[in-house]
Amino acid sequence: EDSRRYIGQAYLSLASRDDIGPEQEESCYRKALELNYAVAYMGLYFLYVRKDEEKALGFLREYVKTEPADTVPYVLLGEAEMNRKHYELADAYLREAKKVARAYSPRVDWLLFQANYLLKNYQFASETFASAVTRGKFENELKALSSDPRFAGIEKRPEFKKYRNMLNLVKASN
C-alpha cells in the first residue's frame, strides 16, 4: 500500500512539471487514480475547471466519494452549488467541509450563512454569520450582501437583531 502511495505521489509530481503538456498531465493524474491515489482528482479538477466546468466538478464529486480529509473539494462543490442556486446541496457540501476541518473556518461559516439564510434556516444562518464576521474579515462580502436582493431585510430578522447596527452601517456606506 505504501509503495502505491509513493508511485501515486510520483505521478502527481510528474503532472506538476512545467515541461509537459496538458495531455501528459492528464495521463499522469489518471495513472495516479489507477493506483487509488484519489487526490489526483484535484489535479484533474484544476486541469479542466477553465475549459469544462461540469467535467471538473465531476472529478470533485468522485473525490468526495473517497471521503478525503481535505476541505477544499467540499468548499469548491459548495460554492459551485451556491452559484447554481442549489442551496440544499451547497449546504450539505459546506457542512461536510466544516466537519472535515475540525477547526474554525470563517470562509466556510460565511458560505454556510448564505446557504442557510436562503434556505430560511435563519437560526443556523445567524450562528454561522456571527462566527464568520467576528473572526474573519468580510468587509467586501458584507457590502455585496447589502446590495444583494436575496438578503434584503436581513437586519429586520430577529435572529440578526444584534447585528442590526453593523448591517445598517454597511448598507449606508454603499
Side-chain angles (χ1 to χ4, degrees):
E1 187 61 36
D2 279 346
S3 60
R4 293 173 69 85
R5 183 170 46 87
Y6 289 126
I7 296 169
Q9 287 173 342
Y11 278 121
L12 291 191
S13 291
L14 287 171
S16 66
R17 290 178 49 147
D18 291 334
D19 62 343
I20 67 168
E23 298 83 21
Q24 291 170 307
E25 184 179 357
E26 182 173 353
S27 175
C28 289
Y29 291 134
R30 293 196 181 276
K31 291 206 180 283
L33 288 174
E34 289 172 16
L35 298 166
N36 295 322
Y37 198 65
V39 73
Y41 283 120
M42 289 299 298
L44 288 168
Y45 166 79
F46 287 113
L47 184 65
Y48 275 89
V49 71
R50 290 195 191 332
K51 58 185 171 187
D52 186 345
E53 183 183 17
E54 192 52 43
K55 189 169 188 171
L57 292 172
F59 291 125
L60 289 182
R61 289 184 194 102
E62 289 301 313
Y63 186 33
V64 299
K65 287 179 186 176
T66 69
E67 300 178 357
D70 180 2
T71 62
V72 174
Y74 297 105
V75 172
L76 291 171
L77 285 166
E79 287 177 323
E81 296 304 338
M82 284 283 293
N83 291 336
R84 294 173 174 193
K85 299 182 178 162
H86 300 154
Y87 305 123
E88 287 183 13
L89 196 49
D91 179 56
Y93 283 127
L94 294 166
R95 284 180 190 251
E96 190 62 27
K98 190 170 178 76
K99 187 171 89 178
V100 168
R102 292 190 187 127
Y104 173 73
S105 172
R107 182 75 184 140
V108 171
D109 284 342
W110 180 260
L111 294 167
L112 276 167
F113 145 68
Q114 290 180 311
N116 281 277
Y117 187 88
L118 296 169
L119 288 168
K120 298 181 175 25
N121 297 335
Y122 298 120
Q123 186 57 46
F124 186 68
S126 172
E127 293 165 14
T128 52
F129 177 86
S131 182
V133 298
T134 57
R135 297 186 184 146
K137 297 189 182 202
F138 291 94
E139 294 163 19
N140 293 335
E141 290 86 347
L142 283 166
K143 286 179 183 174
L145 184 77
S146 70
S147 61
D148 187 331
R150 299 173 303 167
F151 296 93
I154 186 174
E155 71 280 355
K156 296 174 185 163
R157 294 233 26 106
E159 299 87 356
F160 292 87
K161 180 179 164 182
K162 63 182 169 182
Y163 303 102
R164 192 169 290 148
N165 289 340
M166 177 179 53
L167 291 164
N168 284 331
L169 278 173
V170 170
K171 189 180 273 190
S173 72
N174 274 353

